[in-house]
Amino acid sequence: MATASSAHALSEGPSVGAGFGRRQVHAVAACYFVASFAALGLPPYLTAILPDLGDASARWAGLLYVVPTVFGALGAPLWGRAADRFGRKRLLLRAQLGLAVSFLLAGWADSLGAFVTALVLQGVLGGTFAASNGYLAAALTGSGLSKALTLMQGAARAALVLAPILVGSLAPWVSPHRQYALLAVLPLAAAAMLAALPEPTADLSAATPAEAPDATAPLAPLRALYAFEFAFVFCTVISFPYLIALVEDRIPGVSPVVSGALFALPHLCYLLFALRVHQAVERRPMQGIAAGFGLVALGLAGHGAADSLAAFTGVRLLLGAGLTLGLVSLSVLAAECAHGRPPGGMFGTLELVSKGGAVAAGLAAAAGNSLIGLPAPLLTGTAIALIALAAATLPALFRRSPRIRWSR
């Protein structure tokens, strides 16, 4: 059980429930990290998996890449509301076990139809990110919650960087297809670890009058959170699918290791600087969101002109600064919005919005690349980032309104 000092180190004020502190938060983040390995590390290898299942040219790779995302987005709000009703720990365990089952089915699928079914089930039965955030939001508030959400994003970034490397390292001994079954042990291990954690309950008995929740205070607006979440995911993810091709086109002869390092650079920026950025934007998330969109726009526009390793490194670092500012500020805003609302339903809907932005970005990138070429996704992402920057600097567009309150 975490000590009172560790709970205070995690947050300021009445941010943790009884028996819930820094070690519990780190355990939830670690479980999400290990469970994300197959989900994030194996999709880049679909072009190597599908020929063994009857799709010789892997023409379905692009579509299957987003199948778990689409079905995960559709199921997230329902699972979130179920967590509010039946218990957050129970539904978080369900998500981890659902991933394990779907990974086992994918690893032993012997036809394209069976493999697609497993990917659909991965989306429907998974949802570990929303489930983990809902679990944390039931025990944490304010600064403690926003720090925990920042840590969860760090776990996602770390898995995104490390998982493809692990899968590639294992490939000489175990095919990426069979690795689905092998890596199913990770969400099973996460479920075993989570089983020892408490059911989260907020404990505000130690709150001072200034810190105690005000039942009459208006709820923070969800409209702004959802709009900026969708836009931010869209304008950052849209550069992912064709980045390696762009680097190889602009820097002939570049090694795959260098290309992969450039891809990972913005995510490494997040891992290094997220907690420091949290301190800077904790009390002004909208300014952080605006700055994040501005830096993302500059970074994406710079990709279009980069033609050397030094130039690509510079624009990737610029994009990393925007990614870190934006994601951390959105975590702070999400923590504000979670106050006074059922967290499962809110984070389930937020997951729907986020995954919707990712799917829209992938479709826009594919369409733009086929019509104009490699610069098209960068131009689209820059335009969306600039529009969102303008919206973030005009807070009157997102004035609080009773129409956007979460129904109780």
Side-chain angles (χ1 to χ4, degrees):
M1 180 179 295
T3 64
S5 60
S6 68
H8 182 75
L10 174 69
S11 58
E12 298 175 0
S15 297
V16 295
F20 202 96
R22 183 164 51 185
R23 285 188 293 179
Q24 284 76 16
V25 172
H26 289 171
V28 174
C31 289
Y32 176 69
F33 171 75
V34 299
S36 298
F37 256 76
L40 297 176
L42 285 166
Y45 294 88
L46 284 174
T47 52
I49 293 173
L50 294 181
D52 293 336
L53 297 173
D55 182 11
S57 60
R59 66 184 184 278
W60 294 106
L63 177 62
L64 296 185
Y65 194 96
V66 299
V67 163
T69 303
V70 171
F71 284 91
L74 295 176
L78 299 177
W79 288 124
R81 291 184 178 89
D84 290 329
R85 181 176 181 182
F86 300 109
R88 284 92 187 188
K89 177 181 175 179
R90 186 178 302 174
L91 269 292
L92 179 53
L93 287 171
R94 177 217 58 79
Q96 297 286 6
L97 294 174
L99 276 184
V101 170
S102 63
F103 291 162
L104 284 172
L105 293 176
W108 294 111
D110 57 2
S111 68
L112 184 60
F115 186 72
V116 171
T117 300
L119 294 183
V120 170
L121 289 175
Q122 178 186 328
V124 173
L125 299 179
T128 53
F129 191 69
S132 298
N133 287 346
Y135 177 90
L136 293 170
L140 305 171
T141 61
S143 175
L145 177 56
S146 62
K147 287 179 182 177
L149 297 180
T150 298
L151 183 63
M152 287 294 296
Q153 281 286 355
R157 301 294 135 186
L160 186 62
V161 171
L162 297 176
I165 298 174
L166 174 65
V167 172
S169 300
L170 290 175
W173 296 276
V174 183
S175 71
H177 178 200
R178 299 308 180 193
Q179 283 189 46
Y180 268 105
L182 176 64
L183 295 181
V185 70
L186 295 178
L188 285 175
M193 186 185 302
L194 289 168
L197 295 181
E199 179 68 37
T201 54
D203 180 11
L204 303 178
S205 59
T208 66
E211 293 170 336
D214 182 0
T216 64
L219 300 180
L222 289 171
R223 180 170 51 181
L225 174 64
Y226 292 160
F228 289 133
E229 177 77 14
F230 182 93
F232 196 81
V233 170
F234 181 95
C235 65
T236 52
V237 170
I238 197 170
S239 66
F240 290 0
Y242 299 101
L243 176 68
I244 301 299
L246 179 69
V247 172
E248 293 175 348
D249 179 69
R250 299 287 177 81
I251 313 176
V254 67
S255 72
V257 174
V258 172
S259 298
L262 289 173
F263 182 91
L265 198 52
H267 309 295
L268 292 175
C269 288
Y270 184 95
L271 294 174
L272 291 173
F273 300 109
L275 291 179
R276 296 179 186 177
V277 169
H278 182 276
Q279 295 176 353
V281 304
E282 185 176 1
R283 299 188 183 278
R284 42 186 180 273
M286 289 305 299
Q287 291 91 327
I289 290 172
F293 277 117
L295 290 172
V296 167
L298 289 174
L300 290 176
H303 280 66
D307 58 1
S308 67
L309 179 58
F312 268 107
T313 300
V315 296
R316 294 300 287 171
L317 288 173
L318 192 60
L319 184 64
L323 183 79
T324 304
L325 262 171
L327 287 176
V328 172
S329 300
L330 284 167
S331 293
V332 175
L333 185 60
E336 292 181 0
C337 290
H339 177 72
R341 292 186 171 95
M346 195 206 85
F347 281 103
T349 302
L350 187 62
E351 182 79 350
L352 168 64
V353 171
S354 179
K355 290 184 181 299
V359 172
L363 295 176
N369 181 70
S370 64
L371 292 174
I372 301 176
L374 292 173
L378 303 173
L379 294 174
T380 304
T382 301
I384 296 299
L386 290 174
I387 293 171
L389 171 61
T393 56
L394 296 172
L397 294 178
F398 297 102
R399 278 198 294 264
R400 291 179 178 176
S401 167
R403 291 177 300 172
I404 57 176
R405 292 189 181 186
W406 193 272
S407 60
R408 296 183 182 226

